[in-house]
Amino acid sequence: MNLNLQTIDYAIIALYFVFVVGIGLLLKRRIKTGNDFLMSNRSIPLWITSLAFISANLGAQEVLGMAASGAKYGLYTTHFYWLGAAFAMIFLGIFMMPFYYGSKARSVPEYLKLRFDEKTRTFNALTFAVMTIFSSGISLYALALLMQTILGWDFNLSIWLAAGIVLAYTYLGGLTSAVYNEVLQFFLIVLGIAPLVYIGMQQAGGWEGIVRNVDDAKLHLWKGMSSPTTNPMGVDAFSMVFGLGFVLAFGYWCTDFLVVQRAMISRNLNEARRTPIIAAVPKILMPAIVILPGIILLALQKTGVGFDLPRNANGDTDYNMTLPLLLSKLYPSGILGVGITALIASFMSGMAGNVTAFNTVWTFDIYQSHIKKNASEAHYLKVGKATTVVGILLSILTAYVARNFNSIMDLLQLVFSFVNAPLFATFFLGMFWKRTTSNGAFWGLIAGSTSAAITHGLTVAEGKGGWIANLHDYYSGTAQAFNIAWIAFTVCLVVTAAISMVTKRKPDEELRGLVYSLTPRQTDKEKVWYKNPLWLGVAVLIVTLVLNVIFY
């Protein structure tokens, strides 16, 4: 599938590299303190935070991974957006941002420290640090795979080159540089892949051609959800709604500092609340850009030649090559350069987002809390920059782990089920039940993550898991991740509640502004609906429900 790019294609890619590093250089002079480097001094306007919120999640694992899942599972993949994103993003904006922003916490683990105690904060900081490095490594692997397959570049060289460019602009401009680059990358991804969808649809014969040539089972959202055996994803309605729609969705969008950080750096509380809700608008439209290519490929396999996917080292169909294959077949020179740059941009977005979240959590929640508490801002700036370098190096190591999965989205959902699923149970109880205690939260998190590991060790999906014993076979890696998620959530919820009932809680005065029942209600005085987080959220919710009905 190697391509012979023309000079114009290489020029477009080179111009992008120069541009992103240039943004870092321009912003370097604004970075004077650790807070500037790690939190942008809460000075970013609403339209930037909203696009950065969505773009931080629009990494290579999303762009490559969702196209792969589109080919593997069809329209069922859209559940990650219309069930597994929009509702949680609205909930975050309306109910949870007042706690995050109002508490003045600099990170999600720091909020846990204010609500519970230091040990709960530290446990979450460590697990989150591991998760961000894994996610960053997946982005890096995806890009290196792209470079190797369609450009013929050496895999190892691609990893080090790409990591070096991300390091350059995040090291120079910190979080602000990452956020502004994420906005650039959002537009590049849309502009780079939208023509691919248009050309592919034309060749496939439009939507009628897709309906005619793609298995009907892959063109629905809810049909066939009564049993794992009657839909391509191998998931039943319960594990889909509870595992993805509630646990994984709310666990990721409401507690994952990578995305929450983009709202926390807003200029005021109203903008912080509107950030995830406004971001939900492009989010629910994104399947047309990232999932539809996979479905188009299925149609083209029936009507054209040369659209068969290659196999990976394990002999399985390599769905991760869905988008690169379409690029190589459908794009001419010039546009091909834009398309490849869009994929590179998606990688940059995902990796930089994870690295900036990693260095903030490490500096504030681990280093400042346990190693050097009262150092100068200049010292924390140095630590933040050093942590950025370490984060990049660790991402390179984890990139090689991703080579063993034939769908990187399956790996990503598995990682989320270990970390975010139990964490959401802790937040859910902590924010809405003042009786939740520090010891209950800590041991609940431990129990939830442990139960996730045990469940993975006792079940098998596509050859993964079962390292303790094989008590159950799942039809897909996605089904396994969804079920691990709801089990981890439930165990954490039950253990946290049980221990909280027999241990001492904090007095009410220490919980004001941190618990729903003890915090003054937000009164939105905006006269226009689109500036009121509640009505804006209701409008997005209605559109999402309509889409679910249309594509039933």
Side-chain angles (χ1 to χ4, degrees):
M1 200 191 297
N2 291 359
L3 300 178
N4 293 314
L5 269 69
Q6 302 302 312
T7 305
I8 187 172
D9 299 314
Y10 282 113
I12 292 169
I13 296 170
L15 180 63
Y16 169 70
F17 286 154
V18 170
F19 205 86
V20 294
V21 175
I23 290 176
L25 284 168
L26 285 173
L27 294 172
K28 183 177 184 291
R29 59 189 175 190
R30 291 175 51 180
I31 308 301
K32 296 181 174 64
T33 68
N35 192 49
D36 291 337
F37 185 79
L38 299 166
M39 283 298 292
S40 298
N41 207 23
R42 286 192 168 182
S43 61
I44 308 297
L46 176 64
W47 75 275
I48 295 286
T49 58
S50 298
L51 287 177
F53 190 95
I54 187 71
S55 188
N57 176 251
L58 198 60
Q61 63 262 41
E62 175 110 354
V63 178
L64 276 183
M66 284 300 176
S69 294
K72 190 176 182 182
Y73 303 126
L75 270 184
Y76 284 94
T77 310
T78 310
H79 281 300
F80 286 104
Y81 294 80
W82 298 346
L83 176 68
F87 300 109
M89 293 165 78
I90 294 165
F91 184 82
L92 168 66
I94 294 174
F95 293 106
M96 295 183 74
M97 278 317 300
F99 298 117
Y100 285 137
Y101 198 91
S103 68
K104 303 296 182 187
R106 297 167 297 180
S107 67
V108 168
E110 188 166 54
Y111 171 83
L112 287 174
K113 191 248 181 182
L114 296 172
R115 173 61 183 90
F116 298 116
D117 58 9
E118 190 62 57
K119 65 178 182 291
T120 307
R121 171 203 209 174
T122 303
F123 180 77
N124 175 238
L126 290 171
T127 54
F128 176 78
V130 172
M131 185 182 72
T132 53
I133 291 301
F134 259 98
S135 187
S136 179
I138 291 171
S139 291
L140 188 54
Y141 158 74
L143 182 73
L145 181 71
L146 167 78
M147 298 296 195
Q148 180 189 43
T149 307
I150 68 175
L151 299 182
W153 294 8
D154 179 73
F155 184 84
N156 299 307
L157 175 65
S158 299
I159 281 185
W160 286 93
L161 174 65
I165 293 169
V166 174
L167 174 61
Y169 77 77
T170 51
Y171 187 88
L172 290 167
L175 178 60
T176 307
S177 176
V179 164
Y180 277 92
N181 268 306
E182 282 164 2
V183 174
L184 166 68
Q185 288 150 356
F186 173 81
F187 289 112
L188 264 176
I189 291 165
V190 173
L191 293 173
I193 299 176
L196 182 76
V197 175
Y198 176 78
I199 296 169
M201 287 289 284
Q202 293 292 103
Q203 290 205 14
W207 186 251
E208 295 80 10
I210 287 176
V211 171
R212 189 168 55 250
N213 292 298
V214 177
D215 183 359
D216 184 66
K218 291 189 175 183
L219 295 178
H220 293 278
L221 283 173
W222 294 101
K223 190 177 178 181
M225 275 287 171
S226 57
S227 165
T229 60
T230 54
N231 65 81
M233 198 172 269
V235 179
D236 58 27
F238 174 79
S239 57
M240 176 64 78
V241 173
F242 191 52
L244 172 65
F246 182 64
V247 177
L248 277 173
F250 283 73
Y252 177 74
W253 292 104
C254 298
T255 69
D256 193 312
F257 182 55
L258 166 65
V259 288
V260 173
Q261 184 182 34
R262 271 67 190 155
M264 290 174 73
I265 58 177
S266 299
R267 294 177 297 191
N268 55 60
L269 176 57
N270 182 274
E271 292 192 358
R273 297 182 72 197
R274 280 190 286 155
T275 289
I277 300 173
I278 291 174
V281 176
K283 186 68 178 177
I284 60 177
L285 301 176
M286 202 54 66
I289 298 291
V290 296
I291 295 174
L292 194 50
I295 298 171
I296 289 171
L297 178 67
L298 296 177
L300 292 175
Q301 286 176 344
K302 295 283 184 68
T303 59
V305 209
F307 287 97
D308 293 326
L309 288 166
R311 297 191 174 272
N312 62 15
N314 298 326
D316 302 319
T317 300
D318 194 352
Y319 291 101
N320 294 322
M321 295 312 302
T322 297
L323 206 53
L325 177 62
L326 287 172
L327 282 172
S328 69
K329 293 292 183 182
L330 302 181
Y331 268 179
S333 295
I335 299 182
L336 180 60
V338 175
I340 292 173
T341 303
L343 287 182
I344 293 172
S346 71
F347 148 77
M348 298 290 190
S349 174
M351 187 174 181
N354 279 287
V355 169
T356 51
F358 170 77
N359 63 22
T360 302
V361 166
W362 179 268
T363 304
F364 288 149
D365 297 297
I366 298 174
Y367 184 85
Q368 188 178 34
S369 297
H370 299 285
I371 299 172
K372 201 160 187 175
K373 291 188 177 181
N374 299 308
S376 65
E377 280 292 325
H379 179 78
Y380 293 127
L381 176 59
K382 289 178 182 176
V383 172
K385 288 191 170 188
T387 306
T388 302
V389 177
V390 173
I392 294 287
L393 293 174
L394 291 174
S395 300
I396 292 170
L397 291 177
T398 56
Y400 291 94
V401 176
R403 299 182 82 170
N404 296 318
F405 282 74
N406 74 338
S407 174
I408 51 180
M409 280 309 297
D410 289 349
L411 173 59
L412 204 59
Q413 296 308 313
L414 185 63
V415 173
F416 288 160
S417 67
F418 272 70
V419 179
N420 287 343
L423 180 61
F424 178 60
T426 304
F427 269 90
F428 188 74
L429 286 175
M431 284 186 170
F432 299 102
W433 187 42
K434 67 180 183 180
R435 184 70 185 79
T436 313
T437 67
S438 303
N439 284 325
F442 176 74
W443 291 109
L445 275 176
I446 297 286
S449 294
T450 302
S451 67
I454 292 173
T455 305
H456 185 256
L458 293 174
T459 61
V460 175
E462 300 180 61
K464 309 294 189 300
W467 43 273
I468 298 175
N470 182 9
L471 300 184
H472 182 74
D473 280 298
Y474 286 107
Y475 286 92
S476 67
T478 300
Q480 184 186 42
F482 289 177
N483 281 281
I484 289 175
W486 73 256
I487 290 170
F489 171 87
T490 305
V491 169
C492 180
L493 193 80
V494 170
V495 171
T496 301
I499 294 178
S500 294
M501 293 300 293
V502 296
T503 51
K504 186 179 180 182
R505 74 175 181 90
K506 287 184 175 182
D508 285 359
E509 54 269 20
E510 291 184 28
L511 298 177
R512 298 197 192 282
L514 301 172
V515 178
Y516 188 76
S517 61
L518 300 174
T519 301
R521 298 293 172 268
Q522 297 296 318
T523 53
D524 295 305
K525 301 174 183 177
E526 296 290 348
K527 303 294 182 186
V528 286
W529 67 271
Y530 59 84
K531 288 188 178 181
N532 185 312
L534 178 61
W535 292 114
L536 184 61
V538 169
V540 176
L541 185 64
I542 290 170
V543 173
T544 308
L545 290 171
V546 169
L547 287 170
N548 271 276
V549 172
I550 291 173
F551 291 94
Y552 173 84

